[in-house]
């Protein structure tokens, strides 16, 4: 256990949160200003998906806990397995469907955002639990938490600094095709970060599988 693990763990939050910040900060602008979904309907979509997340999270956590360990560890494989679905659903959220019927746009937004939330949870839950499998030393776990916070802050700073320069024209109007472009750029960045996490982090502590009582 050492600096390699800490940096690797930091890259996990740096990559994962880059797409989280993009969606959480700019999806409303895209859906409302570009796609033409009313703010009321957008709010309903978010509320429905967030409520569903609260129901789904315990089941996803249980699925993660029940997974048997492998030569790569118990939690790292989730990062790789769900990386492409996470990237794909993020990009799909920013596809310009403004020319489609309104009902189709609503259904598309609801389904895509719902799937995006589930896929993201399948990365975030094992990533958080991974801390306990890297080291059993409490100081080491505190260090890992601190490096995770650094990654989260860096993701916020990078996205909120770069996104306005790309997404808006000189008159501060959002440009439709630039949203998916930024989604692709940040997806590549996220893929590199999560792969670095997989390579640099070592799961040393054996976490027993939780089976049904």
């Amino acid at each position: 256990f050492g600096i390699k693990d800490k940096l690797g763990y930091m890259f996990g939050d740096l990559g994962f949160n880059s797409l989280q910040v993009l969606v959480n900060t700019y999806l409303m602008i895209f859906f409302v200003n570009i796609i033409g979904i009313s703010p009321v309907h957008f709010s309903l979509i978010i509320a429905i998906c967030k409520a569903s997340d609260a129901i789904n999270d315990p089941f996803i956590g249980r699925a993660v806990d029940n997974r048997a360990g492998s030569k790569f560890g118990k939690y790292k494989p989730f990062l790789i397995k769900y990386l492409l679905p996470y990237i794909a659903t993020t990009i799909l959220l920013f596809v310009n469907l403004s020319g489609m019927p309104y009902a189709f746009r609503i259904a598309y937004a609801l389904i895509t955002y719902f799937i995006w939330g589930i896929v993201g949870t399948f990365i975030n839950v094992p990533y958080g639990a991974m801390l306990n499998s890297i080291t059993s030393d409490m100081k080491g776990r505190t260090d890992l938490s601190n490096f995770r916070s650094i990654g989260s802050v860096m993701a916020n700073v990078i996205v909120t600094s770069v996104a306005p320069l790309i997404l808006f024209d000189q008159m501060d109007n959002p440009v439709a095709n630039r949203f998916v472009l930024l989604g692709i750029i940040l997806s590549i960045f996220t893929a590199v970060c999560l792969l670095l996490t997989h390579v640099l982090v070592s799961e040393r502590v054996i976490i027993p599988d939780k089976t049904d009582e």
Side-chain angles (χ1 to χ4, degrees):
F1 175 73
I3 188 64
K4 187 173 72 169
D5 296 277
K6 297 172 186 177
L7 290 174
Y9 201 63
M10 179 196 74
F11 279 119
D13 228 37
L14 175 58
F16 178 79
N17 271 323
S18 293
L19 294 184
Q20 290 284 315
V21 172
L22 174 65
V23 172
N24 292 337
T25 306
Y26 296 102
L27 187 64
M28 183 181 73
I29 296 175
F30 182 77
F31 276 179
V32 173
N33 295 61
I34 303 296
I35 301 299
I37 294 175
S38 76
V40 173
H41 291 158
F42 174 80
S43 299
L44 287 174
I45 290 171
I46 300 300
I48 291 170
C49 291
K50 293 297 184 183
S52 299
D53 282 344
I55 298 173
N56 294 328
D57 286 359
F59 294 99
I60 294 175
R62 191 175 184 83
V64 171
D65 287 336
N66 288 339
R67 185 191 186 278
S70 69
K71 65 178 180 178
F72 298 110
K74 182 178 177 69
Y75 302 112
K76 287 199 302 180
F78 282 96
L79 275 61
I80 302 303
K81 181 178 180 180
Y82 289 95
L83 172 58
L84 288 181
Y86 182 50
I87 287 173
T89 50
T90 301
I91 295 173
L92 287 173
L93 280 172
F94 293 103
V95 173
N96 185 3
L97 298 173
S98 57
M100 300 298 291
Y102 191 75
F104 179 87
R105 283 176 272 164
I106 292 291
Y108 181 91
L110 177 62
I111 294 171
T112 307
Y113 187 74
F114 175 74
I115 296 174
W116 177 82
I118 292 177
V119 172
T121 303
F122 267 110
I123 293 178
N124 196 40
V125 168
Y127 170 74
M130 191 194 307
L131 181 147
N132 297 318
S133 68
I134 300 174
T135 178
S136 58
D137 178 65
M138 292 307 297
K139 182 182 182 303
R141 290 178 178 179
T142 300
D143 290 341
L144 288 171
S145 295
N146 291 336
F147 271 80
R148 177 179 184 175
S149 297
I150 293 173
S152 179
V153 171
M154 288 175 61
N156 275 277
V157 171
I158 291 172
V159 176
T160 55
S161 297
V162 173
L165 302 176
I166 297 177
L167 299 179
F168 302 94
D169 60 21
Q170 294 181 343
M171 301 299 293
D172 289 332
N173 297 312
V175 182
N177 60 357
R178 295 184 185 180
F179 284 82
V180 73
L181 173 63
L182 182 57
I184 293 172
I185 293 172
L186 289 178
S187 292
I188 296 172
F189 178 71
T190 294
V192 172
C193 288
L194 291 183
L195 288 172
L196 284 172
T197 299
H198 194 272
V199 171
L200 295 176
V201 169
S202 296
E203 294 188 43
R204 299 171 179 82
V205 182
I206 297 177
I207 307 297
D209 304 328
K210 293 183 179 179
T211 55
D212 294 334
E213 296 294 337

